């Protein structure tokens, strides 16, 4: 699609037209006496127009304004931005830099003379508490019945925290957008969420739900008033904020994708700084809601956002433990393909880095991250989950997958080694599930736990007692979790997979331990061992890491109302049939 400013570029006679929404320019245009301020800052030779909707009306006005004074080399559109032009690219660019630099100097001088009120010392809300509550409050059901969840991005630099600590923050920063183009990314107004005085989780929930509810009511009145006044029919967009300002915590942006959240956060940061400058220059004056509505519901503006995604897990955040392994690679790959934001955790940073790098290359570094975590250490689990919440806002899908293997008959099994296997394979599942429960509860939007169990739960092998017992314990734990977490809308299911030797370029750590003994006992080489396992199942199928990933996606995408179930991914092994 061409730019909505295409006609401006066509109607002006110059070969090169540069157009930006430079912060310093829009800071000066959003003033009660904008024309006077602009001429004081940039000189009398510039052209100035009131805000006009882009498209033919703006192009016509720009051409007429230029023709009235052909010597001008710059036109400022109030509440919008700046146009510079020339017959060569360098001159058009240099004029842009010249005028924007003048505006920046003018704002800087105003800030030096009037730096603003001293910031206070707000309380610092706990992000691991506030963000999941906020994320849950922002979740909603779309027309198709699907629950929409947002990714959250937190910006908490010193200057942002200082800005939000200003005594006038609630008044200054809840004004409208710098330029109407931002409305499709950020809505017109941010939500100001002051959690000061909240003594516990219950009060945080009350504050967040109340303020989000008020925001929605205000948006609904705005929409109803505009369609009535203009006598038009429009399908109402969602009525939820995209920017949330939380004193002591920072600027929080919400988006359907991590990119959407990052774009909204970028705009939010610039807007805070511009409004501080506007307050120093004079007074910030937002654009009339009539113009905002026309831009927000203009099809050409909405087209910038694309048609949206039909991916089943868009907006969902997933954590896979044992992230440096082959099965984690396959699970992560399929979750990413389904639209989820994926975190992988492991105690082995090197292996974890390889998996994350390979997945990031295939998808995007914005969609996949690594967390160093020892599932057998309660503190390590808590720290990693807090980091995840701080980065994405919450958690929707937990896949306990970390596991260790050990080959030894019971008579020779060392007690300390047995406990080590239990610590990772059983306690690791317990601790990650337990740590995730408060996040699910705070969000109030359901969730999924999919435990990577094992074919060995129903069909154990000799000399594999530590592994089989620990996996059986984790499997049973999953059934208990299904019973207890149903009231939160959290579904818990298990996947029983047979031998998987690699995922992508990552070899299975389990088979690095188990493989040599199995090959020796059957007089097989690595290729022969893989073929042996393929031939032993009913379908003669090679079991891939991605097959486990597909099973996780099946459960996590709510394709059936299922919890407490076991899904074999083994090609059909009669001895391992669930029973």
């Amino acid at each position: 699609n061409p730019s909505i400013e295409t006609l401006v570029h066509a109607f002006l006679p110059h070969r090169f037209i540069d157009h930006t929404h430079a912060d310093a320019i829009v800071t000066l245009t959003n003033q009660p006496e904008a024309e006077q301020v602009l001429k004081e800052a940039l000189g009398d030779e510039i052209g100035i127009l009131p805000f006009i909707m882009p498209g033919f009306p703006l192009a016509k006005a720009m051409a007429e304004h230029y023709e009235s004074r052909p010597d001008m080399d710059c036109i400022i559109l109030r509440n919008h931005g700046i146009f510079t032009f020339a017959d060569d690219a360098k001159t058009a660019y240099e004029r842009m830099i010249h005028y924007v630099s003048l505006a920046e100097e003018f704002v800087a001088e105003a800030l030096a003379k009037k730096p603003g009120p001293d910031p206070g010392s707000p309380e610092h809300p706990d992000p691991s508490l506030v963000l999941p509550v906020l994320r849950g409050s922002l979740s909603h059901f779309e027309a198709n019945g699907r629950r929409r969840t947002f990714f959250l991005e937190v910006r908490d630099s010193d200057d942002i925290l200082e800005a939000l600590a200003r005594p006038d923050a609630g008044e200054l920063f809840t004004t409208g957008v710098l330029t109407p183009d931002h409305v499709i990314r950020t809505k017109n107004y941010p939500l100001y969420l002051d959690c000061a005085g909240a003594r516990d989780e219950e009060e945080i929930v009350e504050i967040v739900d109340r303020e989000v509810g008020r925001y929605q009511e205000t948006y609904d009145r705005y929409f109803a008033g505009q369609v009535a006044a203009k006598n038009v029919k429009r399908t109402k967009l969602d009525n939820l904020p995209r920017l949330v300002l939380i004193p002591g915590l920072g600027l929080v942006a919400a988006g359907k994708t991590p990119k959407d959240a990052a774009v909204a956060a970028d705009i939010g940061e610039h807007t805070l700084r511009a409004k501080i400058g506007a307050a120093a220059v004079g007074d910030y004056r937002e654009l009339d809601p009539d113009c905002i509505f026309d831009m927000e519901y203009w099809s050409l503006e909405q087209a910038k956002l694309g048609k949206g995604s039909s991916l089943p897990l868009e907006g969902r955040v997933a954590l896979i433990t044992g992230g440096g392994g082959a099965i984690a690679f396959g699970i992560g790959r399929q979750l990413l393909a389904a639209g989820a934001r994926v975190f992988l955790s492991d105690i082995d940073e090197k292996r974890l880095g390889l998996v994350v790098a390979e997945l990031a290359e295939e998808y995007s570094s914005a969609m996949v991250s690594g967390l160093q975590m020892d599932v057998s250490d309660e503190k390590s689990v808590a720290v990693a989950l807090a980091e995840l919440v701080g980065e994405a806002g919450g958690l929707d899908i937990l896949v306990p997958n970390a596991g260790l293997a050990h080959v030894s008959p019971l008579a020779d099994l060392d007690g300390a080694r047995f406990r080590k296997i239990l610590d990772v394979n059983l306690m690791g599942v317990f601790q990650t599930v337990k740590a995730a429960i408060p996040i699910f509860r705070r969000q109030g939007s359901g969730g999924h736990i999919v435990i990577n169990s094992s074919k060995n739960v129903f069909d154990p092998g000799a000399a594999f007692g530590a592994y089989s017992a620990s996996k059986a314990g984790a499997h049973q734990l999953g059934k208990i979790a299904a019973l207890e977490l149903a009231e939160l809308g959290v579904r818990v299911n298990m996947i029983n997979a047979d031998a998987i030797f690699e995922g992508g370029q990552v070899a299975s750590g389990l088979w690095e331990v188990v493989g040599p003994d199995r090959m020796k006992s059957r007089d097989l080489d690595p290729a022969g061992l893989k073929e042996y396992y393929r031939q032993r199942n009913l379908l003669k199928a090679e079991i891939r890491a991605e097959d486990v990933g597909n099973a996780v996606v099946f459960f996590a995408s709510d394709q059936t109302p299922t919890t407490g179930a076991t899904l074999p991914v083994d090609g059909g092994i009669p001895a391992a049939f669930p029973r």
Side-chain angles (χ1 to χ4, degrees):
N1 290 324
S3 165
I4 59 176
E5 312 290 8
T6 297
L7 291 178
V8 169
H9 292 251
F11 278 39
L12 289 173
H14 310 83
R15 291 187 62 212
F16 294 91
I17 295 93
D18 290 359
H19 172 48
T20 76
H21 303 155
D23 291 356
I25 295 293
V26 293
T27 296
L28 302 183
T29 68
N30 286 287
Q31 293 285 326
E33 305 296 333
E35 186 165 345
Q36 177 182 333
V37 172
L38 285 164
K39 288 185 175 180
E40 183 182 351
L42 309 183
D44 293 331
E45 301 305 313
I46 61 172
I48 302 173
L49 286 171
F51 177 79
I52 302 169
M53 276 290 288
F56 181 71
L58 176 58
K60 185 171 181 290
M62 289 277 284
E64 290 174 349
H65 193 52
Y66 174 76
E67 288 167 2
S68 71
R69 283 179 46 209
D71 60 325
M72 71 175 69
D73 55 14
C74 164
I75 296 178
I76 307 288
L77 185 63
R78 288 189 58 176
N79 305 98
H80 185 123
I82 175 174
F83 295 82
T84 58
F85 28 81
D87 286 327
D88 65 278
K90 182 180 180 183
T91 301
Y93 172 78
E94 287 176 343
R95 287 172 177 171
M96 176 65 69
I97 297 302
H98 169 70
Y99 285 113
V100 172
S101 297
L102 288 177
E104 289 174 344
E105 291 166 7
F106 187 86
V107 173
E109 289 176 6
L111 283 167
K113 294 176 183 177
K114 186 182 175 183
D118 292 332
S121 300
E123 298 177 12
H124 294 276
D126 181 358
S128 65
L129 172 58
V130 175
L131 295 179
V133 172
L134 175 61
R135 187 164 181 263
S137 193
L138 296 179
S139 71
H140 59 285
F141 288 99
E142 297 178 319
N144 59 8
R146 177 189 177 193
R147 182 185 281 276
R148 161 65 61 187
T149 52
F150 288 116
F151 299 106
L152 301 185
E153 176 153 338
V154 180
R155 301 286 174 88
D156 57 0
S157 60
D158 290 344
D159 60 331
I160 290 176
L161 293 175
E162 185 175 311
L164 297 180
R166 290 170 59 121
D168 62 348
E171 179 181 357
L172 176 60
F173 298 131
T174 54
T175 46
V177 289
L178 297 177
T179 172
D181 293 65
H182 291 172
V183 70
I184 62 170
R185 304 284 186 177
T186 66
K187 300 290 188 180
N188 193 26
Y189 301 109
L191 170 64
Y192 187 77
L193 187 60
D194 190 351
C195 298
R199 292 168 294 182
D200 53 30
E201 182 174 333
E202 186 176 338
E203 289 193 9
I204 290 288
V205 172
E206 181 182 347
I207 291 170
V208 172
D209 286 349
R210 181 185 69 234
E211 296 305 318
V212 171
R214 287 176 177 172
Y215 187 98
Q216 292 176 291
E217 291 171 1
T218 300
Y219 186 91
D220 290 345
R221 287 195 298 270
Y222 150 77
F223 178 81
Q226 288 294 319
V227 295
K230 298 174 187 295
N231 193 26
V232 296
K233 289 185 178 181
R234 296 287 186 272
T235 300
K236 188 176 71 173
L237 303 170
D238 75 74
N239 56 8
L240 293 159
R242 294 299 188 272
L243 293 175
V244 183
L245 309 177
I246 308 177
L249 194 154
L251 181 153
V252 181
K256 293 181 178 180
T257 67
K259 181 180 178 181
D260 290 341
V263 169
D266 287 344
I267 293 172
E269 280 200 59
H270 284 259
T271 300
L272 288 181
R273 297 187 185 107
K275 287 180 177 179
I276 290 172
V281 170
D283 187 23
Y284 185 80
R285 181 66 55 87
E286 66 183 55
L287 191 61
D288 189 277
D290 289 352
C291 298
I292 294 296
F293 182 86
D294 290 342
M295 189 68 81
E296 183 176 8
Y297 281 86
W298 192 17
S299 60
L300 292 180
E301 279 292 287
Q302 287 296 322
K304 293 179 180 180
L305 301 178
K307 295 181 180 180
S309 169
S310 60
L311 296 175
L313 299 181
E314 184 185 68
R316 304 294 199 271
V317 179
L319 170 63
I320 308 164
T321 68
I327 295 179
F329 175 88
I331 297 171
R333 189 180 194 189
Q334 301 312 98
L335 286 172
L336 286 163
R341 167 80 165 90
V342 173
F343 289 82
L344 299 112
S345 72
D346 206 297
I347 194 173
D348 188 329
E349 287 188 88
K350 184 176 180 180
R351 289 181 65 97
L352 177 64
L354 292 174
V355 172
V356 170
E358 189 169 345
L359 290 175
E361 184 176 355
E362 184 174 357
Y363 290 93
S364 162
S365 58
M367 294 296 291
V368 57
S369 300
L371 296 170
Q372 187 177 19
M373 182 171 86
D374 179 358
V375 296
S376 68
D377 183 331
E378 183 178 6
K379 183 177 179 181
S380 177
V381 172
V383 169
L385 282 176
E387 183 178 342
L388 180 151
V389 169
E391 189 168 337
L395 178 67
D396 304 292
I397 303 162
L398 173 64
V399 186
N401 169 71
L404 291 179
H406 182 63
V407 178
S408 174
L410 296 179
D412 301 328
L413 182 58
D414 178 72
R417 187 64 185 174
F418 182 64
R419 282 189 291 273
K420 177 65 175 176
I421 301 298
L422 289 178
D423 280 345
V424 175
N425 298 4
L426 176 55
M427 284 299 295
V429 172
F430 165 71
Q431 292 185 151
T432 51
V433 169
K434 183 179 179 180
I437 291 173
I439 302 174
F440 289 132
R441 185 181 65 246
R442 290 162 186 163
Q443 289 176 157
S445 53
H448 289 273
I449 299 173
V450 186
I451 297 173
N452 182 24
S453 194
S454 171
K455 159 261 177 192
N456 285 271
V457 170
F458 296 115
D459 185 22
F464 217 35
Y467 181 84
S468 298
S470 64
K471 285 291 188 177
H475 195 88
Q476 190 73 352
L477 199 65
K479 294 181 180 180
I480 302 301
L483 295 171
E484 296 180 358
L485 302 185
E487 65 179 12
L488 299 180
V490 176
R491 306 179 189 191
V492 186
N493 293 287
M494 285 68 68
I495 294 172
N496 284 5
D498 197 18
I500 295 171
F501 293 90
E502 67 267 323
Q505 303 301 312
V506 182
S508 166
L510 183 147
W511 282 96
E512 288 177 351
V513 173
V514 176
D517 180 76
R518 299 288 170 88
M519 286 185 286
K520 182 178 180 181
S521 66
R522 296 178 176 88
D523 193 25
L524 296 171
D525 60 12
L529 187 66
K530 290 182 183 180
E531 180 64 14
Y532 168 81
Y533 278 95
R534 187 181 72 82
Q535 288 293 334
R536 80 173 185 172
N537 68 63
L538 297 175
L539 300 177
K540 310 303 180 191
E542 177 186 355
I543 312 304
R544 305 170 305 129
E546 285 79 1
D547 297 325
V548 180
N550 289 334
V552 172
V553 170
F554 168 76
F555 282 129
S557 54
D558 294 323
Q559 295 188 48
T560 61
T562 302
T563 192
T566 302
L567 177 60
V569 180
D570 59 11
I573 297 179
F577 286 175
R579 58 192 182 274

